[in-house]
Amino acid sequence: MSEGLDPIDESRRQWMLRGWDDAAEGMTLVISVMRVHQLFLARVDRVLRPLSLTFSRYEVLALLSFTRRGSLPMNKITKRLQVHATSTTNSVDRLEAAGLARRLPHPEDGRTTLVEITESGRELVARATDALNSQVFRQAGLAPEQVRDMLASVSQLRAFLEESTSDPAG
């Protein structure tokens, strides 16, 4: 491939050459969204790396910082972040090792573990949020009205995909 050739456009062209016209637009959408995800994640990682945070750990700290008590049960963290329980455990292990969060027994349910943000965790998540807001979230790459339009479309797409994922026949 020559320089300047967009690999996603080339994929679409190849799909159409092979007679898959009815799937070409969908394939282009899927790989475009996946590429945008990679690019956004790289931007977020560049901002968080100097703070010794990953996005997964940042999300846990941010979620905890939004709660009234600064703590949540592990299973609620997993549900609210829509991740696998193993990911939550790994993030909390790392946050705990860094002194940014701690595990506590639940006062009313002995089977449940709470995760609580520490003061150091609160300070770090505030700095990380300021950095992400200024370097990533306020510079999404589209004009505000385009962001609103994109959010509406992505919201519809996400709802469809979540529904089709939860459907045992789909």
Side-chain angles (χ1 to χ4, degrees):
M1 280 202 249
S2 66
E3 287 192 39
L5 181 67
D6 183 316
I8 294 174
D9 287 344
E10 178 61 14
S11 294
R12 183 178 185 283
R13 190 178 79 74
Q14 291 295 332
W15 239 247
M16 295 182 79
L17 281 173
R18 283 161 177 73
W20 301 325
D21 302 48
D22 62 332
E25 296 294 323
M27 180 279 303
T28 304
L29 172 66
V30 170
I31 63 173
S32 293
V33 168
M34 292 172 127
R35 181 63 182 140
V36 167
H37 171 263
Q38 292 171 336
L39 293 166
F40 273 140
L41 195 53
R43 286 180 69 193
V44 166
D45 285 345
R46 276 193 302 276
V47 171
L48 294 178
R49 190 174 301 116
L51 300 171
S52 299
L53 278 178
T54 62
F55 190 63
S56 299
R57 285 180 248 158
Y58 168 78
E59 284 185 302
V60 172
L61 288 176
L63 180 61
L64 292 172
S65 76
F66 296 152
T67 65
R68 259 190 320 269
R69 295 188 176 118
S71 65
L72 281 173
M74 289 277 285
N75 61 350
K76 278 199 177 171
I77 294 170
T78 296
K79 280 183 186 163
R80 290 189 184 168
L81 295 180
Q82 301 176 356
V83 297
H84 193 276
T86 305
S87 297
T88 302
T89 300
N90 182 43
S91 292
V92 171
D93 286 348
R94 303 273 185 140
L95 291 169
E96 198 169 30
L100 303 170
R102 63 180 150 257
R103 287 181 172 89
L104 304 168
H106 193 286
E108 293 136 24
D109 183 353
R111 300 166 299 166
T112 302
T113 300
L114 292 177
V115 180
E116 180 180 69
I117 191 170
T118 64
E119 193 54 42
S120 296
R122 283 190 188 281
E123 292 168 9
L124 184 60
V125 78
R127 286 188 9 242
T129 300
D130 287 344
L132 286 170
N133 282 339
S134 67
Q135 298 174 48
V136 179
F137 301 149
R138 287 189 185 112
Q139 300 174 32
L142 298 172
E145 63 277 0
Q146 290 175 305
V147 170
R148 284 188 290 278
D149 291 345
M150 179 73 74
L151 283 172
S153 295
V154 169
S155 181
Q156 281 183 294
L157 181 58
R158 190 168 41 95
F160 168 78
L161 292 170
E162 287 172 349
E163 184 177 305
S164 67
T165 301
S166 65
D167 178 10

